[in-house]
Amino acid sequence: MNESNTTTTKITIEPVTRIEGHARITLQMNEDSEVTQAFFHVTQFRGFEAFCVGRPFYELPGILSRTCGICPVSHLIAGAKACDDLLAVEIPPVANRLRKVMHLAQILQSHALSYFFLSAPDLVFGMNGNVKQRNICGLAEQTPELAKRGILLRKTGQGIIELLGGRRIHPTWVVPGGVSAPLYTSARDSILAMLPQAREEVLKTLNWHKGLMPKFNQEIQALANFSSLYAGLVNRKGYARHYDGRIRFMDSNGNVIQDHVEASQYPQFIEETEQPWTYMKFPFYRPFGEERGMYRVGPLARLNIADGLGTPLADRELQEFKAMSSEPIRASFHYHWARLIEMLYAIEKIELLLNDEDILSNHVRSIAAPNRLEGIGMVEAPRGLLIHHYRIDENGLVTGVNLIVATGHNNSAMNRGILQAARVFVRKERMEEGMLNAVEAVIRCFDPCLSCATHAFGRPRLQIQLLSAKGDVLHELAS
C-alpha cells in the first residue's frame, strides 16, 4: 500500500510473508525517490511475563514453552535451566546429555522449516519469481526432491523430540533438576536409525546451496550486509555450544571484545530499550551504548564467533564457510548457509551423545527445594541466544520474569537491514512486487519468531484509538 503527499511516499508491506508471526514493514521515500526510513513493526503482543507472576516457579518451563509452537523446546530448556539455578543443584550428567539431544533435535527441525519451507522458494524462483509459485507448493512442484528433503529433515527432528518427550510440540519431559524419565533402548535405537539418511540429505542440500551462490551476488551484498557485533555461546575452547557455554561478544573485525560471560553477568553487558512503534524490544551491547552496540545472534553469529563446532563433517563445512573472508561474514544472506551447517552438526552431535555408554542411565533428576530467589537460564535457540530470568519469593512464587529472545537481539539489525535493502531495490517510479519481496527477504534471513519476541518488560505501551468513518481520532487511550 502506498500513501503519497507532495514530498514523501509511505510504502507499507503488510503482512510480511513466510515468517512466524505477524508484522509489517513501512518505508518512507522522499521526493527524489530515495528511501529515508524503514521500520519493522511487530503488530502482535503476548504478555507471558505478566501472567506468570504469582505462579509456582516449577510451572514456568511448561508455561513459557507455550510462548511458541515452533521452538517450544528451547523455551522449555532455558526455563528448566533457570529453575536449576533457583534450586542451586547440579543435574545428573545423563540428564544434561539427554537435554542436549532434544535441543539439537529442536534446532534441526526448526532450521529445516526455515530453510526449506520459508526461504527456499526465494532461492529456487528468485526474488522476482511468480508470487503464485513462490511458496512451498510451488517448490514441491518445481523441485520435488528438495521439498522432500525438507519434509524428511523436519520429520526427523520432530520425531526425535517425540521419542524423548512423548509429543512433538510442547513436550514437558524437561523439568527442573533434569528430565522426568530416562531414555529407553528402543527409543535410542529408533533415533540412531534416522540419522544416516538425514545426514546425507543435509550434505546434498549443502552442495546444492553452494552452487546457487553466484546467482545471488546482488542479494548477498544488499540484504543486511554491514558491520556489527556478534554474540553467542562458546565453551572454554571457543567451540560453539547450543545447550551450555558462556557468552562471547565479537566485533566486526573478528576481535573478541568480551568472553565467557556467565548467565548471572548478562545484565552488565546486555541492556534493552523500547520504541513506541513496535512491541519488540531492542537489546544492545551495554559497554558500547545503544548506537554502537548493535549485535547479531543466531546461526551466522554462532559460526562467526566459533573457533570450531566439534564434529568432523560440520567442522569441514565451517572451514569452507569461514574461508570466504578473513573477517566475520557480514552478509545476512548467509544465515541460510549457516543453518545447513548447524543441521549437519546437530545430526553428528546427536549420534555422538546417543552412543555414550551411560545414556540409558536411570539417574535423570536431582530433587531440591529453592535455594535462591533469582535464577537465569541460557541456551542457543535456533534463532540465537535465549535468556530466561526468573525471580521468586520465599514461598517459591514468581515475582518477576524477563525473557530476552533471539529475535529481539536481532531487532536493530533487521531494521537496519530492511533500510539497506530498500535503498538498493525499491524504486517509486517502477514499483514491482519483487522489489518488496527482496525487502521481506531480509527478515526471512533472520527467521524471526515473533510470538517469542513480543513480550514487553513491565507494562506494555498499548494505544487504542476510536476513529470516525472519516478517520478522525474521536478518543484515545494509552497505557
Side-chain angles (χ1 to χ4, degrees), residues 306-345:
D307 298 325
L309 290 168
T311 60
L313 295 178
D315 275 336
R316 184 189 71 189
E317 295 293 335
L318 176 62
Q319 186 177 10
E320 182 178 349
F321 183 83
K322 285 179 172 285
M324 286 191 291
S325 174
S326 59
E327 297 178 343
I329 307 302
R330 305 191 321 166
S332 293
F333 191 85
H334 291 315
Y335 267 96
H336 304 312
W337 188 353
R339 283 188 189 96
L340 292 173
I341 295 173
E342 287 200 326
M343 289 167 69
L344 181 60
Y345 166 76

mmCIF file of all heavy atoms in Angstrom, residues 306-345:
data_model
loop_
_atom_site.group_PDB
_atom_site.id
_atom_site.type_symbol
_atom_site.label_atom_id
_atom_site.label_comp_id
_atom_site.label_asym_id
_atom_site.label_seq_id
_atom_site.Cartn_x
_atom_site.Cartn_y
_atom_site.Cartn_z
ATOM 1 N N ALA A 306 32.724 -18.733 16.534
ATOM 2 C CA ALA A 306 33.218 -20.041 16.949
ATOM 3 C C ALA A 306 34.599 -20.341 16.381
ATOM 4 O O ALA A 306 34.879 -20.080 15.211
ATOM 5 C CB ALA A 306 32.247 -21.128 16.519
ATOM 6 N N ASP A 307 35.443 -20.932 17.217
ATOM 7 C CA ASP A 307 36.717 -21.474 16.748
ATOM 8 C C ASP A 307 36.537 -22.864 16.151
ATOM 9 O O ASP A 307 37.440 -23.385 15.488
ATOM 10 C CB ASP A 307 37.717 -21.534 17.907
ATOM 11 C CG ASP A 307 38.021 -20.154 18.476
ATOM 12 O OD1 ASP A 307 38.063 -19.186 17.694
ATOM 13 O OD2 ASP A 307 38.203 -20.055 19.704
ATOM 14 N N GLY A 308 35.389 -23.463 16.384
ATOM 15 C CA GLY A 308 35.085 -24.778 15.837
ATOM 16 C C GLY A 308 33.726 -25.223 16.326
ATOM 17 O O GLY A 308 33.106 -24.569 17.176
ATOM 18 N N LEU A 309 33.245 -26.360 15.789
ATOM 19 C CA LEU A 309 31.984 -26.936 16.227
ATOM 20 C C LEU A 309 32.202 -28.233 16.998
ATOM 21 O O LEU A 309 31.516 -28.505 17.967
ATOM 22 C CB LEU A 309 31.078 -27.183 15.021
ATOM 23 C CG LEU A 309 30.534 -25.907 14.345
ATOM 24 C CD1 LEU A 309 29.889 -26.246 13.008
ATOM 25 C CD2 LEU A 309 29.535 -25.204 15.249
ATOM 26 N N GLY A 310 33.150 -29.057 16.544
ATOM 27 C CA GLY A 310 33.496 -30.244 17.311
ATOM 28 C C GLY A 310 33.061 -31.559 16.715
ATOM 29 O O GLY A 310 33.209 -32.605 17.348
ATOM 30 N N THR A 311 32.517 -31.524 15.483
ATOM 31 C CA THR A 311 32.218 -32.771 14.774
ATOM 32 C C THR A 311 32.883 -32.690 13.395
ATOM 33 O O THR A 311 32.996 -31.599 12.827
ATOM 34 C CB THR A 311 30.703 -32.992 14.623
ATOM 35 O OG1 THR A 311 30.130 -31.906 13.884
ATOM 36 C CG2 THR A 311 30.037 -33.099 15.982
ATOM 37 N N PRO A 312 33.312 -33.816 12.831
ATOM 38 C CA PRO A 312 34.191 -33.748 11.643
ATOM 39 C C PRO A 312 33.560 -33.127 10.407
ATOM 40 O O PRO A 312 34.165 -32.261 9.765
ATOM 41 C CB PRO A 312 34.578 -35.212 11.406
ATOM 42 C CG PRO A 312 33.577 -36.031 12.170
ATOM 43 C CD PRO A 312 33.177 -35.197 13.337
ATOM 44 N N LEU A 313 32.353 -33.540 10.031
ATOM 45 C CA LEU A 313 31.762 -33.019 8.805
ATOM 46 C C LEU A 313 31.380 -31.543 8.955
ATOM 47 O O LEU A 313 31.596 -30.731 8.049
ATOM 48 C CB LEU A 313 30.528 -33.844 8.419
ATOM 49 C CG LEU A 313 30.796 -35.308 8.049
ATOM 50 C CD1 LEU A 313 29.484 -36.024 7.745
ATOM 51 C CD2 LEU A 313 31.730 -35.397 6.846
ATOM 52 N N ALA A 314 30.812 -31.198 10.096
ATOM 53 C CA ALA A 314 30.428 -29.802 10.314
ATOM 54 C C ALA A 314 31.655 -28.905 10.382
ATOM 55 O O ALA A 314 31.634 -27.773 9.867
ATOM 56 C CB ALA A 314 29.604 -29.683 11.588
ATOM 57 N N ASP A 315 32.734 -29.370 10.988
ATOM 58 C CA ASP A 315 33.953 -28.555 11.041
ATOM 59 C C ASP A 315 34.557 -28.366 9.649
ATOM 60 O O ASP A 315 35.103 -27.304 9.337
ATOM 61 C CB ASP A 315 34.980 -29.188 11.984
ATOM 62 C CG ASP A 315 34.748 -28.793 13.431
ATOM 63 O OD1 ASP A 315 34.141 -27.736 13.674
ATOM 64 O OD2 ASP A 315 35.178 -29.544 14.334
ATOM 65 N N ARG A 316 34.442 -29.366 8.801
ATOM 66 C CA ARG A 316 34.914 -29.216 7.424
ATOM 67 C C ARG A 316 34.100 -28.141 6.699
ATOM 68 O O ARG A 316 34.663 -27.283 5.997
ATOM 69 C CB ARG A 316 34.785 -30.555 6.694
ATOM 70 C CG ARG A 316 35.324 -30.557 5.263
ATOM 71 C CD ARG A 316 34.971 -31.841 4.547
ATOM 72 N NE ARG A 316 33.523 -31.899 4.249
ATOM 73 C CZ ARG A 316 32.914 -32.991 3.791
ATOM 74 N NH1 ARG A 316 33.594 -34.117 3.611
ATOM 75 N NH2 ARG A 316 31.616 -32.962 3.539
ATOM 76 N N GLU A 317 32.789 -28.167 6.883
ATOM 77 C CA GLU A 317 31.938 -27.156 6.261
ATOM 78 C C GLU A 317 32.187 -25.772 6.868
ATOM 79 O O GLU A 317 32.155 -24.759 6.162
ATOM 80 C CB GLU A 317 30.462 -27.539 6.415
ATOM 81 C CG GLU A 317 30.061 -28.802 5.678
ATOM 82 C CD GLU A 317 30.127 -28.650 4.170
ATOM 83 O OE1 GLU A 317 30.009 -27.514 3.661
ATOM 84 O OE2 GLU A 317 30.288 -29.681 3.485
ATOM 85 N N LEU A 318 32.417 -25.733 8.167
ATOM 86 C CA LEU A 318 32.701 -24.455 8.818
ATOM 87 C C LEU A 318 33.974 -23.832 8.273
ATOM 88 O O LEU A 318 34.043 -22.615 8.039
ATOM 89 C CB LEU A 318 32.825 -24.659 10.334
ATOM 90 C CG LEU A 318 33.208 -23.422 11.154
ATOM 91 C CD1 LEU A 318 32.159 -22.328 11.045
ATOM 92 C CD2 LEU A 318 33.435 -23.811 12.622
ATOM 93 N N GLN A 319 34.991 -24.652 8.042
ATOM 94 C CA GLN A 319 36.245 -24.150 7.484
ATOM 95 C C GLN A 319 36.017 -23.537 6.105
ATOM 96 O O GLN A 319 36.550 -22.466 5.789
ATOM 97 C CB GLN A 319 37.265 -25.284 7.408
ATOM 98 C CG GLN A 319 38.654 -24.846 6.980
ATOM 99 C CD GLN A 319 39.642 -26.000 6.992
ATOM 100 O OE1 GLN A 319 39.277 -27.165 7.146
ATOM 101 N NE2 GLN A 319 40.915 -25.687 6.836
ATOM 102 N N GLU A 320 35.207 -24.189 5.278
ATOM 103 C CA GLU A 320 34.901 -23.644 3.955
ATOM 104 C C GLU A 320 34.105 -22.348 4.080
ATOM 105 O O GLU A 320 34.337 -21.387 3.335
ATOM 106 C CB GLU A 320 34.111 -24.674 3.143
ATOM 107 C CG GLU A 320 33.794 -24.217 1.727
ATOM 108 C CD GLU A 320 33.061 -25.271 0.929
ATOM 109 O OE1 GLU A 320 32.973 -26.430 1.376
ATOM 110 O OE2 GLU A 320 32.568 -24.927 -0.181
ATOM 111 N N PHE A 321 33.167 -22.307 4.999
ATOM 112 C CA PHE A 321 32.349 -21.116 5.229
ATOM 113 C C PHE A 321 33.230 -19.935 5.626
ATOM 114 O O PHE A 321 33.120 -18.835 5.066
ATOM 115 C CB PHE A 321 31.330 -21.420 6.321
ATOM 116 C CG PHE A 321 30.370 -20.306 6.631
ATOM 117 C CD1 PHE A 321 29.236 -20.120 5.869
ATOM 118 C CD2 PHE A 321 30.593 -19.465 7.708
ATOM 119 C CE1 PHE A 321 28.328 -19.104 6.161
ATOM 120 C CE2 PHE A 321 29.708 -18.447 8.015
ATOM 121 C CZ PHE A 321 28.571 -18.267 7.236
ATOM 122 N N LYS A 322 34.128 -20.152 6.560
ATOM 123 C CA LYS A 322 34.983 -19.069 7.053
ATOM 124 C C LYS A 322 36.016 -18.646 6.022
ATOM 125 O O LYS A 322 36.555 -17.522 6.088
ATOM 126 C CB LYS A 322 35.673 -19.491 8.354
ATOM 127 C CG LYS A 322 34.758 -19.497 9.576
ATOM 128 C CD LYS A 322 35.522 -19.957 10.804
ATOM 129 C CE LYS A 322 34.705 -19.797 12.087
ATOM 130 N NZ LYS A 322 34.593 -18.406 12.540
ATOM 131 N N ALA A 323 36.302 -19.500 5.043
ATOM 132 C CA ALA A 323 37.286 -19.164 4.016
ATOM 133 C C ALA A 323 36.810 -18.044 3.098
ATOM 134 O O ALA A 323 37.599 -17.484 2.328
ATOM 135 C CB ALA A 323 37.627 -20.407 3.191
ATOM 136 N N MET A 324 35.526 -17.686 3.167
ATOM 137 C CA MET A 324 35.025 -16.579 2.353
ATOM 138 C C MET A 324 35.667 -15.255 2.723
ATOM 139 O O MET A 324 35.750 -14.337 1.912
ATOM 140 C CB MET A 324 33.504 -16.457 2.496
ATOM 141 C CG MET A 324 32.708 -17.508 1.772
ATOM 142 S SD MET A 324 30.938 -17.101 1.735
ATOM 143 C CE MET A 324 30.498 -17.306 3.458
ATOM 144 N N SER A 325 36.109 -15.116 3.973
ATOM 145 C CA SER A 325 36.653 -13.842 4.428
ATOM 146 C C SER A 325 37.570 -14.077 5.614
ATOM 147 O O SER A 325 37.344 -14.996 6.416
ATOM 148 C CB SER A 325 35.526 -12.887 4.822
ATOM 149 O OG SER A 325 36.041 -11.709 5.399
ATOM 150 N N SER A 326 38.585 -13.225 5.731
ATOM 151 C CA SER A 326 39.463 -13.287 6.897
ATOM 152 C C SER A 326 38.805 -12.653 8.118
ATOM 153 O O SER A 326 39.313 -12.778 9.239
ATOM 154 C CB SER A 326 40.786 -12.572 6.598
ATOM 155 O OG SER A 326 40.545 -11.211 6.254
ATOM 156 N N GLU A 327 37.689 -11.970 7.909
ATOM 157 C CA GLU A 327 36.940 -11.338 8.985
ATOM 158 C C GLU A 327 35.580 -12.040 9.116
ATOM 159 O O GLU A 327 35.231 -12.881 8.279
ATOM 160 C CB GLU A 327 36.737 -9.844 8.688
ATOM 161 C CG GLU A 327 38.045 -9.073 8.627
ATOM 162 C CD GLU A 327 37.828 -7.610 8.282
ATOM 163 O OE1 GLU A 327 36.724 -7.273 7.781
ATOM 164 O OE2 GLU A 327 38.751 -6.805 8.509
ATOM 165 N N PRO A 328 34.808 -11.740 10.143
ATOM 166 C CA PRO A 328 33.474 -12.344 10.246
ATOM 167 C C PRO A 328 32.641 -12.082 9.001
ATOM 168 O O PRO A 328 32.750 -11.032 8.364
ATOM 169 C CB PRO A 328 32.881 -11.637 11.476
ATOM 170 C CG PRO A 328 34.067 -11.251 12.302
ATOM 171 C CD PRO A 328 35.135 -10.901 11.320
ATOM 172 N N ILE A 329 31.800 -13.043 8.644
ATOM 173 C CA ILE A 329 30.936 -12.931 7.471
ATOM 174 C C ILE A 329 29.819 -11.935 7.787
ATOM 175 O O ILE A 329 29.043 -12.126 8.724
ATOM 176 C CB ILE A 329 30.330 -14.296 7.104
ATOM 177 C CG1 ILE A 329 31.436 -15.354 6.952
ATOM 178 C CG2 ILE A 329 29.488 -14.188 5.839
ATOM 179 C CD1 ILE A 329 32.487 -15.021 5.928
ATOM 180 N N ARG A 330 29.730 -10.850 7.009
ATOM 181 C CA ARG A 330 28.783 -9.782 7.299
ATOM 182 C C ARG A 330 27.430 -9.987 6.631
ATOM 183 O O ARG A 330 26.428 -9.457 7.081
ATOM 184 C CB ARG A 330 29.347 -8.433 6.831
ATOM 185 C CG ARG A 330 30.715 -8.088 7.387
ATOM 186 C CD ARG A 330 31.076 -6.648 7.097
ATOM 187 N NE ARG A 330 30.660 -6.201 5.757
ATOM 188 C CZ ARG A 330 30.635 -4.925 5.381
ATOM 189 N NH1 ARG A 330 30.988 -3.984 6.235
ATOM 190 N NH2 ARG A 330 30.256 -4.604 4.159
ATOM 191 N N ALA A 331 27.383 -10.721 5.537
ATOM 192 C CA ALA A 331 26.164 -10.816 4.729
ATOM 193 C C ALA A 331 25.131 -11.712 5.407
ATOM 194 O O ALA A 331 25.338 -12.920 5.570
ATOM 195 C CB ALA A 331 26.498 -11.357 3.347
ATOM 196 N N SER A 332 23.989 -11.139 5.767
ATOM 197 C CA SER A 332 22.944 -11.916 6.431
ATOM 198 C C SER A 332 22.309 -12.947 5.512
ATOM 199 O O SER A 332 21.649 -13.871 5.986
ATOM 200 C CB SER A 332 21.871 -10.978 6.985
ATOM 201 O OG SER A 332 22.402 -10.196 8.037
ATOM 202 N N PHE A 333 22.487 -12.807 4.209
ATOM 203 C CA PHE A 333 22.018 -13.835 3.278
ATOM 204 C C PHE A 333 22.631 -15.187 3.633
ATOM 205 O O PHE A 333 22.033 -16.248 3.395
ATOM 206 C CB PHE A 333 22.401 -13.450 1.842
ATOM 207 C CG PHE A 333 21.739 -14.287 0.785
ATOM 208 C CD1 PHE A 333 20.470 -13.979 0.322
ATOM 209 C CD2 PHE A 333 22.386 -15.390 0.249
ATOM 210 C CE1 PHE A 333 19.860 -14.752 -0.657
ATOM 211 C CE2 PHE A 333 21.787 -16.162 -0.732
ATOM 212 C CZ PHE A 333 20.518 -15.851 -1.183
ATOM 213 N N HIS A 334 23.810 -15.174 4.241
ATOM 214 C CA HIS A 334 24.495 -16.426 4.581
ATOM 215 C C HIS A 334 23.975 -17.067 5.862
ATOM 216 O O HIS A 334 24.492 -18.119 6.270
ATOM 217 C CB HIS A 334 25.999 -16.195 4.650
ATOM 218 C CG HIS A 334 26.613 -15.923 3.309
ATOM 219 N ND1 HIS A 334 26.309 -16.651 2.187
ATOM 220 C CD2 HIS A 334 27.514 -14.972 2.914
ATOM 221 C CE1 HIS A 334 26.990 -16.178 1.151
ATOM 222 N NE2 HIS A 334 27.714 -15.163 1.564
ATOM 223 N N TYR A 335 22.972 -16.465 6.496
ATOM 224 C CA TYR A 335 22.265 -17.188 7.560
ATOM 225 C C TYR A 335 21.750 -18.527 7.033
ATOM 226 O O TYR A 335 21.732 -19.527 7.754
ATOM 227 C CB TYR A 335 21.081 -16.365 8.073
ATOM 228 C CG TYR A 335 21.373 -15.480 9.267
ATOM 229 C CD1 TYR A 335 21.701 -14.135 9.104
ATOM 230 C CD2 TYR A 335 21.303 -15.979 10.561
ATOM 231 C CE1 TYR A 335 21.940 -13.318 10.191
ATOM 232 C CE2 TYR A 335 21.538 -15.176 11.667
ATOM 233 C CZ TYR A 335 21.856 -13.844 11.479
ATOM 234 O OH TYR A 335 22.110 -13.039 12.563
ATOM 235 N N HIS A 336 21.304 -18.544 5.764
ATOM 236 C CA HIS A 336 20.761 -19.783 5.196
ATOM 237 C C HIS A 336 21.832 -20.877 5.143
ATOM 238 O O HIS A 336 21.580 -22.028 5.511
ATOM 239 C CB HIS A 336 20.228 -19.525 3.785
ATOM 240 C CG HIS A 336 19.201 -18.431 3.705
ATOM 241 N ND1 HIS A 336 18.127 -18.366 4.565
ATOM 242 C CD2 HIS A 336 19.091 -17.357 2.872
ATOM 243 C CE1 HIS A 336 17.385 -17.317 4.261
ATOM 244 N NE2 HIS A 336 17.948 -16.688 3.240
ATOM 245 N N TRP A 337 22.995 -20.528 4.657
ATOM 246 C CA TRP A 337 24.111 -21.479 4.601
ATOM 247 C C TRP A 337 24.468 -21.948 6.013
ATOM 248 O O TRP A 337 24.675 -23.146 6.262
ATOM 249 C CB TRP A 337 25.294 -20.794 3.916
ATOM 250 C CG TRP A 337 26.466 -21.681 3.602
ATOM 251 C CD1 TRP A 337 26.669 -22.980 3.961
ATOM 252 C CD2 TRP A 337 27.634 -21.310 2.848
ATOM 253 N NE1 TRP A 337 27.883 -23.439 3.487
ATOM 254 C CE2 TRP A 337 28.484 -22.431 2.797
ATOM 255 C CE3 TRP A 337 28.019 -20.124 2.217
ATOM 256 C CZ2 TRP A 337 29.719 -22.398 2.146
ATOM 257 C CZ3 TRP A 337 29.248 -20.098 1.563
ATOM 258 C CH2 TRP A 337 30.087 -21.226 1.527
ATOM 259 N N ALA A 338 24.528 -21.004 6.936
ATOM 260 C CA ALA A 338 24.883 -21.341 8.315
ATOM 261 C C ALA A 338 23.879 -22.324 8.919
ATOM 262 O O ALA A 338 24.263 -23.214 9.691
ATOM 263 C CB ALA A 338 24.963 -20.072 9.158
ATOM 264 N N ARG A 339 22.611 -22.168 8.585
ATOM 265 C CA ARG A 339 21.611 -23.114 9.111
ATOM 266 C C ARG A 339 21.889 -24.537 8.647
ATOM 267 O O ARG A 339 21.749 -25.493 9.412
ATOM 268 C CB ARG A 339 20.201 -22.693 8.669
ATOM 269 C CG ARG A 339 19.645 -21.548 9.459
ATOM 270 C CD ARG A 339 18.195 -21.235 9.170
ATOM 271 N NE ARG A 339 17.899 -19.978 9.851
ATOM 272 C CZ ARG A 339 17.935 -18.775 9.270
ATOM 273 N NH1 ARG A 339 18.177 -18.688 7.979
ATOM 274 N NH2 ARG A 339 17.719 -17.686 9.977
ATOM 275 N N LEU A 340 22.267 -24.698 7.402
ATOM 276 C CA LEU A 340 22.552 -26.041 6.900
ATOM 277 C C LEU A 340 23.744 -26.655 7.633
ATOM 278 O O LEU A 340 23.739 -27.852 7.956
ATOM 279 C CB LEU A 340 22.822 -25.985 5.402
ATOM 280 C CG LEU A 340 21.615 -25.619 4.521
ATOM 281 C CD1 LEU A 340 22.062 -25.423 3.072
ATOM 282 C CD2 LEU A 340 20.525 -26.684 4.604
ATOM 283 N N ILE A 341 24.775 -25.855 7.888
ATOM 284 C CA ILE A 341 25.941 -26.365 8.619
ATOM 285 C C ILE A 341 25.534 -26.777 10.031
ATOM 286 O O ILE A 341 25.967 -27.826 10.539
ATOM 287 C CB ILE A 341 27.060 -25.307 8.647
ATOM 288 C CG1 ILE A 341 27.574 -25.039 7.218
ATOM 289 C CG2 ILE A 341 28.210 -25.755 9.547
ATOM 290 C CD1 ILE A 341 28.566 -23.893 7.109
ATOM 291 N N GLU A 342 24.695 -25.989 10.672
ATOM 292 C CA GLU A 342 24.250 -26.350 12.021
ATOM 293 C C GLU A 342 23.354 -27.590 12.015
ATOM 294 O O GLU A 342 23.374 -28.373 12.972
ATOM 295 C CB GLU A 342 23.507 -25.179 12.661
ATOM 296 C CG GLU A 342 24.428 -24.039 13.077
ATOM 297 C CD GLU A 342 23.806 -23.133 14.117
ATOM 298 O OE1 GLU A 342 22.579 -22.924 14.089
ATOM 299 O OE2 GLU A 342 24.560 -22.632 14.972
ATOM 300 N N MET A 343 22.593 -27.777 10.966
ATOM 301 C CA MET A 343 21.797 -29.002 10.867
ATOM 302 C C MET A 343 22.705 -30.223 10.797
ATOM 303 O O MET A 343 22.447 -31.255 11.435
ATOM 304 C CB MET A 343 20.889 -28.928 9.645
ATOM 305 C CG MET A 343 19.747 -27.941 9.784
ATOM 306 S SD MET A 343 18.902 -27.595 8.220
ATOM 307 C CE MET A 343 18.113 -29.176 7.923
ATOM 308 N N LEU A 344 23.768 -30.112 10.023
ATOM 309 C CA LEU A 344 24.732 -31.209 9.927
ATOM 310 C C LEU A 344 25.378 -31.471 11.287
ATOM 311 O O LEU A 344 25.515 -32.624 11.719
ATOM 312 C CB LEU A 344 25.795 -30.864 8.875
ATOM 313 C CG LEU A 344 26.869 -31.908 8.617
ATOM 314 C CD1 LEU A 344 26.265 -33.222 8.128
ATOM 315 C CD2 LEU A 344 27.882 -31.377 7.594
ATOM 316 N N TYR A 345 25.765 -30.395 11.968
ATOM 317 C CA TYR A 345 26.354 -30.536 13.300
ATOM 318 C C TYR A 345 25.377 -31.212 14.255
ATOM 319 O O TYR A 345 25.768 -32.113 15.023
ATOM 320 C CB TYR A 345 26.754 -29.163 13.851
ATOM 321 C CG TYR A 345 27.063 -29.193 15.326
ATOM 322 C CD1 TYR A 345 28.258 -29.720 15.793
ATOM 323 C CD2 TYR A 345 26.142 -28.723 16.267
ATOM 324 C CE1 TYR A 345 28.535 -29.776 17.154
ATOM 325 C CE2 TYR A 345 26.408 -28.768 17.620
ATOM 326 C CZ TYR A 345 27.603 -29.296 18.061
ATOM 327 O OH TYR A 345 27.869 -29.347 19.407
#
